[in-house]
Amino acid sequence: MDEGGSRVRRRVSLPKRKRPSLGCIFVTPTAAELERGDEEKKEEEMVAENRRRKTASVIPVEVQPRLLSDSPDCLVLGGGDTNLDLLRRMPTDRGIGDQHNDSEEDMFGDYDSFTENSFIAQADDLEQKYMQLPEHRKHATDFATENLCSESIKNKLSVTPIGNLTELQTDKHPENQSGYEDVTVEPGADLLYDVPSSQAMYFENLQNSSNDLGDQFMKERDWKSSSHNTVNEELPHNCIEQPQQNDESSSKVRTSSDMNRRTSIKDHLKSAMTGNAKAQTPVFSRSKQLKETLLSEEINVAKKTIESSSNDLGPFYSLPSKVRDLYVQLKGIEKLYEWQHTCLTLKSVQERKNLIYSLPTSGGKTLVAEILMLQELLCSRKDVLMILPYVAIVQEKISGLSSFGIELGFFVEEYAGSKGRFPPTKRREKKSLYIATIEKGHSLVNSLIETGRIDSLGLVVVDELHMIGEGSRGAILEMTLAKILYTSKTTQIIGMSATLNNVEDLQKFLQAEYYTSQFRPVELKEYLKINDTIYEIDSKAENGMTFSRFLNYKYSDTLKKMDPDHLVALVTEVIPNYSCLVFCPSKKNCENVAEMICKFLSKEYLKHKEKEKCEVIKNLKNIGNGNLCPVLKRTIPFGVAYHHSGLTSDERKLLEEAYSTGVLCLFTCTSTLAAGVNLPARRVILRAPYVAMEFLKRNQYKQMIGRAGRAGIDTIGESILILQEKDKQQVLELITRPLENCYSHLVQEFTKGIQTLFLSLIGLKIAANLDDIYHFMNGTFFGVQQKILLKEKSLWEITVESLRYLTEKGLLQKDTIYKSEEEVQHNFHITKLGRASFKGTIDLAYCDILYRDLKKGLEGLVLENLLHLIYLTTPYDLVSQCNPDWMIYFRQKVDKDVVNRLYLSFVLYSLLKETNIWTVSEKFNMPRGYVQNLLSGAASFSSCVLHFCEELEEFWVYRALLVELTKKLTYCVKAELIPLMEVTGVLEGRAKQLYSAGYKSLMHLANANPEVLTRTIDHLSRRQAKQIVSSAKMLLNEKAEALQEEVEELLRLPSDFPGAVASSTDKA
């Protein structure tokens, strides 16, 4: 395809045809025939002229040069099948052949073939000379030459004579497989010089026939050249020219006998060409061909653009235009913000350097990351890993990108909770986008390093990069990035966050460039409320704030007692026409505030979207098997609900959907919503400057107020922080001080941090001794900050101490190597228990306890029911949070941790039997959100124990048992609903609806019509229906691809097959 993308070239190969002898073709015409021939000539000239007009704008075919064997110095250019058609259409005793030309191009080029001053006149002259030289009886051989013409001539069909070639030599080749003799021919001696191949072949047949030789044409052979060389001689640069005017002298007056022959020859030649012109052309859908090749062509162009680091981008930031159309169609994004364009066109991005970029919340950071990921998947043809902080955000992102995967041909794979394959499936052609939580992303990187596939990971995107400084999860994220940096020089890392301060340390750690902007699509105004006065935050003011207004709301004495913070006044200024978020310090406070607000709202609020709110309550009852939280039952009719971790996943998802569509207009929520799914509002109110009992941090404050202002909906966003006089000074410091710095937690989180890192480094063979590990540690985020963080011990001392601990615990074994009498080196290798621990990502504080419990379990494993297995897979870290109700289960004089763990296993066992969180939470007097958190934690830990057991042969019996238990804990529903719940975004309530509607398998969902789903399933929006269908299709494609790869693997000849080595050696 050329630059404009509007031309398609075709190369047509035609079978060799037998050519009839000229004895039956070239017969001396009578006077009547000559007269009839003149009339036919005029008629045919008119037909040809019309033909040329019709084909003047037809797309040209690819031009191939042809070289005649009898005249190797004659270079003739013909398009695709044009010259061959001229040969096969020569007049025979049966007349013009009825073969169809395969192209619509004008076969007569840029000159008039029927004028007197044409090559036909040259043909007459040459014919006369040719017939006088009987010694020219050599066999004709047509040498097909490819790629011998310049690009400009390829785009134009023409016959090109070469008049300035003085000599062309060919040498004999002893290895010539065609058996041809190579001869030296001088141009002056060749009478077929400057004649098109079709006419030259005609004369050769004529000569052969007139001498009754009866020779057959010899075999044709291809002669390829890409550098304008003919055997040993190089063609001069001017040997290929545009069509030239033919010599006037070739059309001089001849004798009457010559005229008779000339008329006959003309007749034959023009009849052949006119027949070609009249022949119908098969209809090819050029538009269809263009559509089929457009996407792949643009991807190739974009790939070359990226590889060459050129500023000449593709249609949509080096991506096919289809990507732009998908963003318009699926997300309604028609144009990027200016900062997004600037960021995507940064030199560092074009050169694939690591990048950190920081913008306020709701600034559009994710879109930039998505475009960069699509570039990597489609253009660079490499896998991509996206690391997100929470399971809910992972599932939201998978739902949003599955449609892109279906349309553009890549897989979207979920790595969260108990989901994900280790190592990931190796794809034949399509690439994968792995979307993972921090923990699963670490396991994924470990498996890629272990299998030697880390270089297949082209890009790693980290959202909320500031979490690298938050506890054990931050330590895991740091380990993941440090391993990528150390083991792969080709993997690009992109980090983004709204709350970064000490960027220099992160830049040094990630070896990254930095881009920042203060852009917000919607203006944000920050306010403080003290008593009934509202102040606007103003950095230019002396004390950081200026007076704004008084609250104008009439409060009764009762209302003042119930609502001293004037929350009712603040929210009623916004709802129900606009949305509002009220952040509360605790979960219980969320519920209390929601109820309090509803008590003082007027009855008018009940009428706003009344029908839709009834649907929400109905669906909440369905997913709770008839149960409904009494608080939500009272608040939802007013458009108000609470949102915190005490809700089940189904309840949270349903309430979030209702809020996004405007059915609910007010959420009272905890700070976790600020870092979770994207739920913006017109106004954000902070109930108090506290999170639980701790004073608010600057980072938390910025994340909360960042939810104010919905792009494309609101023109302004407002945040109001309610405070008491006693907190005024602290709040003024809060709003003026910079963001908190990120500090490494690699050493603080001992068993989940540095020790886990050392164990995996040796297990993955990244390091083998103390020096290797110390060198690696210097390249970590902790290594960058060691001068700040280490006060008492040095990095070397901490490294030695950690390795000693791992050795004493039986996870590592030390080997002493004597290099010389004086030099001794200590190498480490991982033990079976150590490998099982790091492969199962088990917290090293519990690995020996887990081993002991599993070992003891083998002595008397009870398989009558699942209780024993559940006990073995109950997470250790949740035991301390459990407070058993001893009124239900009597007290026993045993280890408290064992009793607590057993109590939790009873909860899980009841849950698997009844599959109803409400019933179990009431039975054990536990919040339903805690019960669900226990269930998801148990599913994840069960998966870890499974990987742990896979590395230890003695625990073979657990492998098959834990596979099924993990699946049961993951879904905790009836078996028939599990296939539906494998689809991202389909939880229990939705799965029951789909199953009742007849969608009972993954194939049913993948082939469903979103419009029909919307009509069939209650409270299912069109967007959600499309996401469910896309996710189902993606999952089905993954399974089909995996089966296909398995089949090919079984049929493929093993690389270590004995005969394979020998045969490859023979070929070499």
Side-chain angles (χ1 to χ4, degrees):
M1 184 178 291
D2 63 5
E3 294 176 0
S6 61
R7 298 185 179 182
V8 178
R9 301 193 185 99
R10 295 195 307 277
R11 179 173 296 162
V12 183
S13 299
L14 297 176
K16 183 170 68 178
R17 295 174 57 89
K18 292 183 180 180
R19 299 176 176 83
S21 66
L22 285 168
C24 60
I25 297 176
F26 190 65
V27 182
T28 305
T30 62
E33 288 172 338
L34 285 173
E35 185 177 345
R36 188 171 62 251
D38 287 335
E39 293 173 359
E40 290 174 355
K41 178 179 71 174
K42 294 177 182 178
E43 180 182 347
E44 288 164 357
E45 284 178 356
M46 293 173 65
V47 172
E49 183 63 25
N50 290 334
R51 173 66 178 177
R52 282 195 299 279
R53 290 195 186 102
K54 289 179 181 179
T55 60
S57 60
V58 177
I59 300 170
V61 296
E62 186 174 0
V63 178
Q64 298 183 49
R66 304 279 179 187
L67 197 63
L68 297 179
S69 60
D70 240 2
S71 53
D73 50 331
C74 177
L75 182 65
V76 183
L77 299 179
D81 59 329
T82 305
N83 285 329
L84 290 175
D85 268 359
L86 283 170
L87 287 176
R88 70 181 184 182
R89 293 181 188 281
M90 289 301 294
T92 65
D93 52 345
R94 292 172 294 180
I96 300 296
D98 58 354
Q99 305 294 329
H100 292 310
N101 184 17
D102 192 46
S103 179
E104 296 182 7
E105 285 72 17
D106 183 0
M107 292 169 290
F108 304 119
D110 291 335
Y111 53 87
D112 187 352
S113 300
F114 288 165
T115 59
E116 286 297 319
N117 208 15
S118 68
F119 69 83
I120 293 182
Q122 295 184 44
D124 297 337
D125 188 43
L126 288 171
E127 177 202 8
Q128 183 181 14
K129 296 178 181 178
Y130 199 91
M131 296 305 295
Q132 293 173 359
L133 298 172
E135 67 272 18
H136 288 280
R137 298 176 182 176
K138 294 177 182 177
H139 300 301
T141 307
D142 186 13
F143 293 95
T145 308
E146 294 181 1
N147 301 326
L148 198 59
C149 56
S150 64
E151 189 65 31
S152 61
I153 297 181
K154 281 187 179 182
N155 292 329
K156 196 166 187 177
L157 180 63
S158 60
V159 178
T160 307
I162 304 175
N164 57 353
L165 187 60
T166 57
E167 187 176 14
L168 187 63
Q169 283 191 332
T170 57
D171 300 331
K172 292 184 179 180
H173 299 279
E175 297 179 1
N176 190 343
Q177 296 179 1
S178 301
Y180 292 111
E181 272 192 39
D182 295 326
V183 294
T184 302
V185 183
E186 294 184 4
D190 188 1
L191 296 176
L192 296 183
Y193 186 77
D194 244 9
V195 176
S197 58
S198 55
Q199 275 63 45
M201 296 295 281
Y202 181 78
F203 290 133
E204 289 163 7
N205 275 323
L206 174 65
Q207 176 63 18
N208 291 338
S209 176
S210 64
N211 288 279
D212 294 323
L213 293 176
D215 292 334
Q216 298 294 328
F217 283 103
M218 298 177 69
K219 294 179 180 179
E220 296 179 359
R221 68 181 176 89
D222 292 334
W223 178 53
K224 297 182 178 180
S225 170
S226 60
S227 58
H228 294 258
N229 290 341
T230 304
V231 190
N232 293 334
E233 289 293 319
E234 181 174 278
L235 295 174
H237 292 292
N238 58 350
C239 67
I240 300 177
E241 301 173 353
Q242 294 298 320
Q244 301 175 0
Q245 293 294 326
N246 297 313
D247 192 356
E248 293 285 345
S249 61
S250 62
S251 58
K252 291 181 179 179
V253 179
R254 291 165 177 80
T255 61
S256 60
S257 61
D258 293 338
M259 185 64 70
N260 291 342
R261 179 173 295 157
R262 184 191 68 164
T263 305
S264 179
I265 295 291
K266 269 189 179 180
D267 235 3
H268 286 298
L269 294 179
K270 293 196 299 183
S271 295
M273 290 186 290
T274 305
N276 287 338
K278 289 180 179 179
Q280 295 182 356
T281 303
V283 178
F284 287 88
S285 176
R286 291 250 163 69
S287 61
K288 184 178 179 181
Q289 292 177 10
L290 287 172
K291 285 178 181 177
E292 290 174 352
T293 57
L294 181 60
L295 183 59
S296 60
E297 187 72 20
E298 288 184 346
I299 288 175
N300 290 335
V301 170
K303 183 178 178 183
K304 291 176 183 177
T305 301
I306 287 179
E307 288 175 351
S308 62
S309 299
S310 169
N311 291 326
D312 183 17
L313 298 178
F316 182 68
Y317 299 97
S318 299
L319 286 167
S321 54
K322 188 173 184 179
V323 176
R324 178 181 56 218
D325 299 337
L326 285 173
Y327 270 110
V328 174
Q329 177 188 341
L330 300 175
K331 297 194 175 186
I333 299 173
E334 297 182 359
K335 188 178 179 182
L336 271 64
Y337 298 130
E338 186 177 344
W339 83 263
Q340 292 171 330
H341 173 76
T342 303
C343 188
L344 287 168
T345 52
L346 287 173
K347 187 178 179 182
S348 55
V349 173
Q350 302 299 318
E351 294 175 354
R352 287 182 51 80
K353 292 181 179 178
N354 295 344
L355 176 70
I356 299 170
Y357 62 99
S358 175
L359 279 99
T361 304
S362 304
K365 297 184 296 295
T366 307
L367 179 59
V368 171
E370 286 180 8
I371 292 174
L372 292 173
M373 291 191 299
L374 291 174
Q375 285 180 358
E376 197 68 27
L377 289 162
L378 301 178
C379 304
S380 300
R381 304 294 298 163
K382 285 197 171 187
D383 297 328
V384 173
L385 168 62
M386 186 178 199
I387 298 176
L388 301 169
Y390 304 111
V391 175
I393 305 178
V394 168
Q395 293 175 340
E396 183 183 39
K397 185 58 63 180
I398 285 175
S399 297
L401 290 177
S402 290
S403 300
F404 285 83
I406 294 292
E407 294 292 332
L408 300 172
F410 61 86
F411 291 107
V412 182
E413 301 184 38
E414 179 180 353
Y415 281 78
S418 60
K419 293 185 178 180
R421 294 185 59 174
F422 302 103
T425 306
K426 191 173 183 179
R427 307 293 180 187
R428 291 178 301 116
E429 294 179 359
K430 293 184 178 180
K431 298 304 171 185
S432 293
L433 169 57
Y434 310 114
I435 302 181
T437 56
I438 293 172
E439 293 79 10
K440 287 293 181 178
H442 182 224
S443 299
L444 178 65
V445 169
N446 281 344
S447 66
L448 289 173
I449 293 172
E450 187 178 27
T451 54
R453 291 165 51 193
I454 189 64
D455 285 335
S456 67
L457 199 61
L459 175 65
V460 175
V461 173
V462 182
D463 195 8
E464 309 296 352
L465 183 62
H466 62 270
M467 290 192 71
I468 201 170
E470 296 183 10
S472 60
R473 304 194 78 209
I476 294 171
L477 180 58
E478 180 181 346
M479 287 188 280
T480 305
L481 297 176
K483 287 175 185 176
I484 294 169
L485 288 166
Y486 193 84
T487 58
S488 175
K489 303 303 179 187
T490 59
T491 304
Q492 184 183 15
I493 296 175
I494 304 288
M496 52 182 171
S497 174
T499 54
L500 284 178
N501 189 32
N502 56 331
V503 183
E504 296 79 9
D505 290 346
L506 284 168
Q507 277 187 267
K508 190 174 180 182
F509 165 49
L510 295 176
Q511 302 154 34
E513 302 289 324
Y514 179 59
Y515 176 83
T516 186
S517 171
Q518 294 305 312
F519 171 82
R520 272 187 61 92
V522 178
E523 183 187 358
L524 173 62
K525 291 190 175 182
E526 300 176 45
Y527 298 96
L528 299 177
K529 178 192 165 297
I530 305 174
N531 298 322
D532 59 351
T533 308
I534 295 178
Y535 299 91
E536 183 174 355
I537 294 176
D538 185 0
S539 58
K540 298 176 183 178
E542 186 177 348
N543 60 350
M545 61 182 186
T546 55
F547 172 80
S548 177
R549 64 187 173 96
F550 288 109
L551 269 178
N552 185 18
Y553 192 86
K554 293 181 180 180
Y555 265 71
S556 64
D557 293 336
T558 307
L559 184 55
K560 283 181 181 178
K561 291 179 182 178
M562 295 288 292
D563 182 22
D565 295 326
H566 306 93
L567 278 172
V568 175
L570 292 173
V571 300
T572 51
E573 290 179 346
V574 179
I575 64 170
N577 295 323
Y578 298 98
S579 56
C580 182
L581 294 175
V582 179
F583 284 100
C584 303
S586 66
K587 288 185 282 188
K588 190 62 181 172
N589 192 237
C590 287
E591 298 178 26
N592 293 338
V593 168
E595 282 200 286
M596 182 272 295
I597 291 174
C598 291
K599 282 181 181 178
F600 296 100
L601 291 178
S602 68
K603 302 295 183 184
E604 293 296 319
Y605 287 90
L606 294 171
K607 298 177 183 179
H608 182 74
K609 297 193 175 182
E610 185 177 3
K611 184 179 177 182
E612 290 87 344
K613 287 184 284 194
C614 290
E615 281 293 317
V616 173
I617 292 175
K618 179 183 173 183
N619 283 294
L620 281 172
K621 281 185 178 179
N622 288 337
I623 62 178
N625 293 313
N627 297 291
L628 177 64
C629 171
V631 176
L632 292 176
K633 186 178 181 179
R634 289 190 291 269
T635 61
I636 287 178
F638 288 93
V640 179
Y642 65 86
H643 185 289
H644 57 61
S645 60
L647 295 168
T648 66
S649 300
D650 282 326
E651 288 173 329
R652 267 202 311 273
K653 190 171 182 64
L654 189 60
L655 291 174
E656 287 166 2
E657 289 171 359
Y659 178 86
S660 298
T661 54
V663 177
L664 298 179
C665 54
L666 174 64
F667 265 171
T668 57
C669 50
T670 54
S671 59
T672 53
L673 184 140
V677 293
N678 186 25
L679 294 174
R682 171 67 172 266
R683 176 176 289 180
V684 170
I685 301 171
L686 279 68
R687 171 81 171 73
Y690 291 91
V691 174
M693 300 300 293
E694 294 183 4
F695 197 81
L696 198 63
K697 294 179 182 178
R698 175 72 173 167
N699 288 352
Q700 294 171 324
Y701 171 73
K702 292 295 285 185
Q703 280 194 320
M704 290 181 190
I705 68 170
R707 296 297 181 195
R710 297 173 297 174
I713 300 174
D714 298 328
T715 55
I716 193 170
E718 300 172 335
S719 72
I720 301 174
L721 172 57
I722 300 172
L723 65 145
Q724 307 301 321
E725 283 288 348
K726 64 183 180 68
D727 297 322
K728 182 177 179 181
Q729 193 56 40
Q730 274 185 290
V731 169
L732 290 175
E733 291 175 6
L734 169 72
I735 61 177
T736 54
R737 67 168 174 248
L739 295 165
E740 288 82 8
N741 289 335
C742 288
Y743 293 110
S744 171
H745 280 69
L746 203 57
V747 174
Q748 286 180 328
E749 300 293 331
F750 208 54
T751 57
K752 286 186 176 180
I754 194 168
Q755 292 178 0
T756 300
L757 174 61
F758 289 176
L759 186 65
S760 63
L761 289 179
I762 294 168
L764 295 171
K765 299 179 181 177
I766 295 174
N769 52 58
L770 186 59
D771 291 333
D772 293 343
I773 293 173
Y774 181 73
H775 176 64
F776 181 93
M777 282 298 296
N778 277 303
T780 62
F781 189 41
F782 179 81
V784 172
Q785 296 182 326
Q786 58 181 301
K787 292 181 180 179
I788 304 171
L789 300 176
L790 294 178
K791 303 296 183 184
E792 299 175 0
K793 297 178 182 178
S794 67
L795 180 57
W796 179 268
E797 290 173 326
I798 290 175
T799 305
V800 172
E801 187 179 301
S802 299
L803 289 172
R804 186 186 301 118
Y805 174 85
L806 292 171
T807 306
E808 290 172 356
K809 202 160 184 175
L811 302 173
L812 291 180
Q813 190 169 327
K814 187 192 293 185
D815 301 324
T816 303
I817 300 173
Y818 295 94
K819 291 190 173 182
S820 64
E821 293 182 1
E822 298 179 355
E823 189 177 0
V824 179
Q825 181 175 315
H826 298 289
N827 281 1
F828 294 89
H829 74 264
I830 195 167
T831 63
K832 287 185 176 180
L833 178 61
R835 180 169 294 281
S837 299
F838 112 76
K839 291 290 285 290
T841 61
I842 305 293
D843 188 340
L844 299 187
Y846 306 121
C847 64
D848 51 348
I849 303 173
L850 175 63
Y851 179 82
R852 187 173 63 246
D853 287 346
L854 291 172
K855 190 77 173 174
K856 192 173 182 179
L858 288 177
E859 297 173 6
L861 186 61
V862 179
L863 296 178
E864 184 182 2
N865 53 45
L866 294 173
L867 184 59
H868 196 167
L869 280 176
I870 290 171
Y871 173 80
L872 293 172
T873 56
T874 301
Y876 292 100
D877 55 353
L878 292 178
V879 169
S880 60
Q881 302 174 22
C882 175
N883 295 308
D885 188 342
W886 297 114
M887 297 301 294
I888 300 173
Y889 293 95
F890 57 89
R891 189 186 306 270
Q892 298 184 36
K893 292 183 180 180
V894 291
D895 186 346
K896 183 183 176 183
D897 287 343
V898 173
V899 173
N900 287 6
R901 194 173 184 219
L902 179 62
Y903 187 85
L904 291 178
S905 65
F906 284 146
V907 176
L908 290 168
Y909 180 61
S910 299
L911 199 54
L912 287 185
K913 282 176 62 179
E914 300 180 27
T915 68
N916 188 338
I917 290 178
W918 277 86
T919 306
V920 174
S921 65
E922 289 174 3
K923 180 178 180 180
F924 289 91
N925 193 25
M926 290 180 168
R928 60 190 183 281
Y930 175 82
V931 174
Q932 182 156 58
N933 187 43
L934 170 65
L935 180 64
S936 60
S940 183
F941 187 65
S942 177
S943 175
C944 293
V945 175
L946 173 59
H947 292 305
F948 181 91
C949 293
E950 285 175 343
E951 299 299 320
L952 297 169
E953 293 181 8
E954 58 194 298
F955 296 145
W956 62 270
V957 69
Y958 289 117
R959 295 174 196 169
L961 296 171
L962 290 176
V963 169
E964 288 304 312
L965 179 62
T966 302
K967 186 177 287 189
K968 287 179 181 293
L969 289 170
T970 300
Y971 301 110
C972 192
V973 292
K974 293 179 181 178
E976 63 264 21
L977 297 181
I978 290 179
L980 299 177
M981 291 186 67
E982 289 180 350
V983 178
T984 303
V986 176
L987 299 176
E988 183 181 1
R990 188 72 76 203
K992 287 179 179 177
Q993 288 180 306
L994 292 167
Y995 192 85
S996 300
Y999 298 95
K1000 300 182 178 181
S1001 69
L1002 183 63
M1003 289 177 286
H1004 286 167
L1005 278 185
N1007 291 287
N1009 185 335
E1011 299 295 333
V1012 176
L1013 275 181
T1014 305
R1015 292 194 299 269
T1016 308
I1017 307 300
D1018 292 337
H1019 208 70
L1020 181 69
S1021 67
R1022 186 177 286 103
R1023 180 182 62 84
Q1024 293 163 350
K1026 287 181 179 178
Q1027 287 180 347
I1028 287 173
V1029 172
S1030 295
S1031 297
K1033 284 181 179 178
M1034 177 63 66
L1035 193 56
L1036 196 63
N1037 285 348
E1038 285 179 20
K1039 291 188 175 184
E1041 185 88 3
L1043 290 172
Q1044 195 170 352
E1045 287 170 1
E1046 189 176 346
V1047 169
E1048 291 187 0
E1049 187 66 30
L1050 289 171
L1051 298 177
R1052 190 179 295 123
L1053 186 69
S1055 58
D1056 57 350
F1057 185 72
V1061 179
S1063 61
S1064 62
T1065 306
D1066 294 342
K1067 287 180 181 179

